[in-house]
Amino acid sequence: MDLSTSWLAITAAGILAMTAVQAADKPADLALTDLDGKKVRLRDYRGKLVVLNFWATWCVPCRAEMPLLVEAEKRFRDRITFIGASLDESKSRTRIPDFMKRHQIEFTVWTGARGDDLAKLSMGEAVPATAFIDAEGRIVARVSGEIRKEELQERLAWLVGDRSGTPPKPMVRHLDAQ
């Protein structure tokens, strides 16, 4: 690698790092549709702690991790709002009610999410992907790929706790290893 290529790589890395810091300071927003066809926005949940999980009915890892999220929502429902954002397109969207019933999902589900939404929120490039959002609307942690039970527990404890200790890793990527 010559000097100009090295400089370009370092500059690109610096720009990406600055963008990530700016994105972390800025409240996240997302506009989708609820199951009744009503437009919904993430910003309407400011003042609440939110776990936003991107998934799809056709996604095998999404099916595997959903029981963890359902269990966590039952345990934390009085302190954290869970939202499922489905990336199902019109053809597979009809499978959402069955998926919810099969997995006993009682939390809010939104439809119409796309890959662009994942990118806008720096979630990675595939589902499942989970964001942990503080009361100011900032994403404080992300997991790209199927979340592990320990990671979920650590992030939920951090979200509802006093946040005086060491924060969880801000981004975990499980897709890179697959």
Side-chain angles (χ1 to χ4, degrees), residues 4-112:
S4 63
T5 306
S6 298
W7 178 84
L8 184 59
I10 291 167
T11 303
I15 290 170
L16 286 173
M18 284 181 2
T19 303
V21 168
Q22 289 169 347
D25 290 340
K26 190 176 179 183
D29 200 16
L30 179 67
L32 297 175
T33 306
D34 69 13
L35 293 175
D36 295 324
K38 181 181 160 201
K39 187 173 183 173
V40 288
R41 292 182 138 324
L42 188 56
R43 70 174 172 219
D44 294 336
Y45 288 81
R46 301 245 169 88
K48 298 180 180 186
L49 303 173
V50 175
V51 171
L52 175 63
N53 176 255
F54 289 90
W55 60 277
T57 59
W58 43 261
C59 166
V60 174
C62 298
R63 287 185 232 142
E65 84 171 3
M66 193 55 72
L68 283 177
L69 295 169
V70 167
E71 177 187 321
E73 190 273 338
K74 287 177 182 172
R75 241 180 66 223
F76 286 91
R77 69 172 40 143
D78 60 329
R79 296 177 280 172
I80 301 174
T81 299
F82 283 69
I83 300 171
S86 170
L87 272 81
D88 282 277
E89 294 187 5
S90 58
K91 284 185 179 182
S92 62
R93 204 169 286 159
T94 58
R95 297 184 202 139
I96 292 174
D98 244 11
F99 185 92
M100 290 177 65
K101 185 176 180 179
R102 190 172 341 109
H103 292 283
Q104 301 174 354
I105 298 171
E106 296 177 9
F107 52 82
T108 300
V109 171
W110 294 350
T111 63

Side-chain angles (χ1 to χ4, degrees), residues 140 154-155 158 163-170:
V140 295
E154 177 187 24
R155 281 150 185 78
W158 172 258
R163 300 189 203 163
S164 61
T166 304
K169 191 173 176 184

